Amino acid sequence: MIRAGYREAAEQPGFAYRDYSPDEARAIVERALANEPCPVEEDQVEDVRLNLDLVQRRSSAPTTDTGMSVVAVTVPSMRMSNATELTDDHHAQLAELGLRVDHLDEAIWAGVDARASAPPLGPTNGAGLLDWIHRVGRLREVLVAEGWTRVDKWNAGLVQHPTKPVVLGTLQGNRHTGTLGAPLRSDYAKGPAIAAMMRGNDRDQFTLFDSLHTHEWKLWFLVTYPHQEGDRLVVLREVAQPEPTPQGQVVDRWAHRITLPPLVFGPLPTPRGTDGPDDIDVTVTLRG
Amino acid sequence: MRTIGRPRVGACFGYADTFGSQEGVALTFTYGRKSHALVLLIDYDLGGGVKDCSSPTAPT
């Protein structure tokens, strides 16, 4: 724990442990920020480069009723220049598929929240894997609650609409996710299950939504692409139907794309359905 | 812009050497079930600026 680590450090001769009020701590931080950063070791230089901006933001943000400055975690609805505004047309297109924006937000948020729990020394793909697991899980939870059915053939992680010929999955896209006309492609090649499910998909954009009245299942994806912009996590997003794509190939041809504004998260996403805070348990090694 | 959450400040504490040359301070925040901290090392012998800072979030 941080506090235990500090107390242990303070047991060394010449050091003393101190508790601070939020105002006292803030004053110390503000005084330090008024001076030039002074990292010495290579890792200190890197730490300061990566984290000083966050410290400055915390110090300069509006003060809360707790007396400490913090940065609010926000979801700007329409702030990015590479995505369109949320319009009635977006809502109508999603409704054609039996979807609402809040279904998608729930899933994306669950994935982002799960990323934060990836251990720093875990596998390098740990955060992305947790994101996918929770994104799929939450998406299916909210839709199954509204009558959809989970589809686990070949562990594909899909969910099927109760009446429309719509099957929905999740997919990681690229930086063009959410930008209509830009070359969207999947991050990974698709396996046999997804390839098989795409066989009935449309082959061009001119069949938009008419195809929903056929009897052939159409596989759609909630396509997301998370990336860091400063201290914010930005998730580009859209709902898209790929053209039929052979097994082993990345998906880069799309029959339909419903591009949506990105979700922008602050550095510290807040979990929904909270039960109150747990203890902080972080080991701190002091460096001189 | 729609606010979906706001971190709450928790305990703040630190250590300092008795000669006043170096000070460590930790500010903790909670976000529902999640916790987070900002940890700073300040070196007064080098001008009183931030010598090191980190933002630990994951339990160990």
Side-chain angles (χ1 to χ4, degrees):
Chain A
M1 296 180 61
I2 296 177
R3 191 193 297 268
Y6 274 30
R7 283 190 168 132
E8 184 178 339
E11 290 175 358
Q12 301 174 56
F15 285 87
Y17 172 85
R18 296 173 180 174
D19 280 310
Y20 298 116
S21 70
D23 285 339
E24 289 173 329
R26 181 181 189 174
I28 293 169
V29 173
E30 287 183 341
R31 281 198 301 271
L33 290 175
N35 299 314
E36 283 295 313
C38 53
V40 175
E41 303 295 334
E42 189 175 339
D43 58 342
Q44 293 172 343
V45 172
E46 183 69 2
D47 285 347
V48 169
R49 184 183 70 80
L50 291 174
N51 297 303
L52 191 62
D53 182 61
L54 174 60
V55 176
Q56 289 169 332
R57 286 170 182 265
R58 286 293 170 87
S59 180
S60 61
T63 301
T64 69
D65 56 2
T66 62
M68 189 63 197
S69 61
V70 296
V71 174
V73 179
T74 58
V75 180
S77 297
M78 304 145 195
R79 299 183 63 200
M80 302 295 289
S81 59
N82 67 337
T84 55
E85 302 281 327
L86 257 183
T87 63
D88 290 343
D89 192 43
H90 286 127
H91 295 298
Q93 290 184 71
L94 291 176
E96 284 277 354
L97 303 176
L99 293 171
R100 299 190 307 269
V101 173
D102 63 279
H103 293 144
L104 313 178
D105 288 357
E106 285 278 346
I108 293 170
W109 199 98
V112 168
D113 187 35
R115 280 179 173 269
S117 66
L121 296 184
T124 53
N125 65 344
L129 184 59
L130 286 168
D131 187 338
W132 174 70
I133 290 170
H134 288 263
R135 194 166 5 107
V136 170
R138 188 62 185 147
L139 183 66
R140 299 209 293 190
E141 282 175 11
V142 297
L143 293 177
V144 166
E146 298 191 5
W148 295 54
T149 305
R150 63 183 292 173
V151 178
D152 280 315
K153 193 173 184 180
W154 297 308
N155 197 31
L158 307 173
V159 62
Q160 175 181 320
H161 192 278
T163 57
K164 297 174 185 285
V166 173
V167 176
L168 182 66
T170 67
L171 186 76
Q172 178 158 318
N174 61 1
R175 62 192 172 88
H176 299 299
T177 304
T179 304
L180 198 60
L184 172 67
R185 58 182 290 169
S186 66
D187 198 35
Y188 300 103
K190 296 294 106 181
I194 297 299
M197 294 294 290
M198 285 192 285
R199 283 182 192 144
N201 277 16
D202 299 327
R203 296 183 180 276
D204 59 62
Q205 60 184 315
F206 302 109
T207 52
L208 179 60
F209 299 125
D210 288 342
S211 62
L212 293 175
H213 305 295
T214 71
H215 296 293
E216 210 157 23
W217 291 103
K218 309 297 178 185
L219 178 60
W220 293 74
F221 288 105
L222 166 58
V223 186
T224 54
Y225 181 71
H227 69 285
Q228 202 74 29
E229 290 187 6
D231 63 348
R232 289 172 177 266
L233 181 68
V234 177
V235 181
L236 308 179
R237 58 180 177 158
E238 64 178 85
V239 175
Q241 183 194 139
E243 294 184 13
T245 305
Q247 174 185 342
Q249 292 186 15
V250 298
V251 181
D252 59 0
R253 296 175 64 86
W254 305 88
H256 312 296
R257 297 178 61 185
I258 306 171
T259 54
L260 301 166
L263 285 178
V264 181
F265 295 90
L268 302 160
T270 304
R272 291 178 178 174
T274 58
D275 298 325
D278 293 332
D279 289 337
I280 289 179
D281 185 16
V282 181
T283 300
V284 174
T285 303
L286 299 173
R287 294 188 294 229
Chain B
M1 182 178 293
R2 178 163 59 95
T3 298
I4 63 169
R6 185 180 292 275
R8 290 182 296 161
V9 68
C12 300
F13 45 87
Y15 73 95
D17 70 57
T18 52
F19 301 104
S21 61
Q22 199 171 89
E23 180 170 26
V25 60
L27 316 175
T28 67
F29 302 88
T30 56
Y31 314 83
R33 289 172 294 185
K34 300 289 184 184
S35 300
H36 171 83
L38 290 178
V39 178
L40 284 80
L41 178 64
I42 302 164
D43 195 316
Y44 295 102
D45 288 342
L46 295 178
V50 175
K51 188 175 189 179
D52 200 356
C53 56
S54 62
S55 179
T57 56
T60 61

